[in-house]
Amino acid sequence: MTQYVQEKVARLEQPITAWVLLGIIGVLTIAYGCFINATITNIVSTKTIQAKIASLTPSVSALESRYLAAKSSITMDDALADGFSQSNADPIYISRATAGSLSFNR
């Protein structure tokens, strides 16, 4: 057992092995720093986006209520005054039959 430990220690004392281990530790440290930086950036971005969402929600709600009020106030007379005309044709509905073909229904 002592011989085994001495061989491993002697191998670690070689410059190439030490530099390789230090290089791996350096690369892992840099990668860790990059991941922590990305995590912090994502957290800050999330906070900023949540603040923007919170500030836009009331204005979107106000616009939606104005849209619904305008939609409910439209009458047939308003549509005819804007140039729309009522269709006299019967509507045609297309449905898929169980066999996979299309059929016209009037």
Side-chain angles (χ1 to χ4, degrees):
M1 181 71 168
T2 313
Q3 179 69 22
Y4 177 77
V5 171
Q6 287 177 348
E7 288 176 5
K8 292 296 180 182
V9 169
R11 192 168 176 207
L12 283 176
E13 290 176 351
Q14 294 175 355
I16 290 178
T17 307
W19 284 111
V20 168
L21 288 176
L22 284 175
I24 291 173
I25 290 171
V27 167
L28 291 176
T29 303
I30 291 171
Y32 178 75
C34 290
F35 289 138
I36 293 297
N37 186 23
T39 302
I40 292 171
T41 304
N42 286 339
I43 290 171
V44 169
S45 298
T46 302
K47 297 278 185 188
T48 305
I49 290 171
Q50 286 176 347
K52 286 181 182 178
I53 288 172
S55 68
L56 290 176
T57 300
S59 62
V60 170
S61 297
L63 289 173
E64 185 177 9
S65 64
R66 283 181 43 205
Y67 165 74
L68 292 174
K71 182 179 173 184
S72 65
S73 69
I74 295 175
T75 62
M76 182 60 82
D77 294 333
D78 292 335
L80 293 175
D82 285 339
F84 290 94
S85 62
Q86 196 166 9
S87 174
N88 295 331
D90 292 334
I92 298 175
Y93 300 99
I94 299 176
S95 65
R96 185 179 298 251
T98 56
S101 62
L102 294 176
S103 63
F104 290 102
N105 296 324
R106 289 189 187 254

